[in-house]
Amino acid sequence: MNNLIDRTHQDILEKIVALAKIAREQPPFFSAFIQQYYAHTDLETLKSRSIENLAAAVVSHWDLAYQRLPDQNKVNIFNPSLEKEGWETKYTVVQLITEDKPFLVDSTRMEINRQGFNIFFSVNIGDIKLRRNSEGKLIEVLASNAALPESQVEALIYMEIDKISDPEALKKLTHKLEKVLEQVSVVVKDWP
């Protein structure tokens, strides 16, 4: 039974990769990014979503993650539309990328809930090893067991929350999550 679950999970990931690559030309390591992005998402969650939506979500997060400087926290909160992004969801999308550290997911989830929003879907990838050039552009997605000194361990968080139609409320939540990421960094650096 476990082999069947693993094979079904892998089949879904292969469909996501195929559809995401059709959307636009990507570097060879894009497939590895997708594989790691959804590696720990349970089968039932993957099956509950359309392949199109899963592919669009990972491509959108890839775009955000593609360039990031050291110590930079990136927060993107938006309502995807067919006209602008080429996909849509009935929820507001929250995307984060930062250096991996403890407390990220719980702190982010608590702030979203504190602001009065429910979380309906989430993908959390901690400990993803990405190698970047001097401008911060992604040049390699490393295997999870890779141990290269120039690799950077990062965390990507994707959530779909209650729809936020008010642009000011989107800005407010963005600011709040940026502050959370800064506070988590301070706490982790001060830990010793």
Side-chain angles (χ1 to χ4, degrees):
M1 185 67 175
N2 199 13
N3 283 341
L4 179 60
I5 290 171
D6 290 345
R7 185 67 225 151
T8 305
H9 192 272
Q10 192 57 40
D11 288 345
I12 291 171
L13 292 181
E14 288 171 9
K15 289 176 183 174
I16 294 169
V17 169
L19 189 59
K21 283 187 165 187
I22 289 172
R24 72 180 98 129
E25 189 62 33
Q26 300 288 3
F29 52 87
F30 181 60
S31 297
F33 180 83
I34 294 173
Q35 293 285 334
Q36 289 190 41
Y37 193 86
Y38 288 121
H40 301 292
T41 305
D42 67 272
L43 182 59
E44 288 307 311
T45 300
L46 289 175
K47 288 172 73 174
S48 72
R49 321 269 308 168
S50 73
I51 298 295
E52 293 80 10
N53 188 281
L54 292 167
V58 72
V59 168
S60 176
H61 213 162
W62 163 267
D63 289 343
L64 182 67
Y66 187 72
Q67 183 162 5
R68 188 182 80 79
L69 296 172
D71 297 321
Q72 182 183 20
N73 299 322
K74 295 181 84 172
V75 177
N76 186 32
I77 303 176
F78 66 107
N79 295 308
S81 67
L82 286 173
E83 300 79 33
K84 189 173 177 189
E85 287 84 12
W87 67 292
E88 64 185 349
T89 178
K90 62 182 180 179
Y91 304 109
T92 291
V93 170
V94 176
Q95 298 171 326
L96 306 156
I97 182 163
T98 186
E99 290 176 12
D100 193 27
K101 55 186 80 74
F103 315 119
L104 283 174
V105 175
D106 289 340
S107 299
T108 302
R109 293 177 75 86
M110 285 189 297
E111 184 61 30
I112 288 170
N113 291 146
R114 194 173 77 74
Q115 295 300 317
F117 302 110
N118 297 301
I119 300 166
F120 297 96
F121 176 69
S122 68
V123 175
N124 308 308
I125 313 126
D127 197 29
I128 187 168
K129 295 177 178 151
L130 305 175
R131 203 160 59 86
R132 298 178 179 277
N133 66 17
S134 60
E135 290 89 41
K137 288 186 181 169
L138 193 53
I139 57 171
E140 187 176 9
V141 176
L142 303 166
S144 58
N145 60 355
L148 294 175
E150 67 271 13
S151 68
Q152 191 166 357
V153 181
E154 301 185 35
L156 288 87
I157 301 171
Y158 175 96
M159 297 181 191
E160 291 181 3
I161 65 172
D162 291 308
K163 187 73 146 193
I164 305 172
S165 301
D166 178 17
E168 288 305 311
L170 287 171
K171 286 180 189 175
K172 178 183 176 188
L173 183 58
T174 300
H175 177 71
K176 293 284 186 183
L177 292 180
E178 288 170 344
K179 291 294 277 182
V180 164
L181 294 179
E182 289 170 13
Q183 290 169 347
V184 167
S185 292
V186 168
V187 167
V188 170
K189 286 177 183 173
D190 192 48
W191 187 265

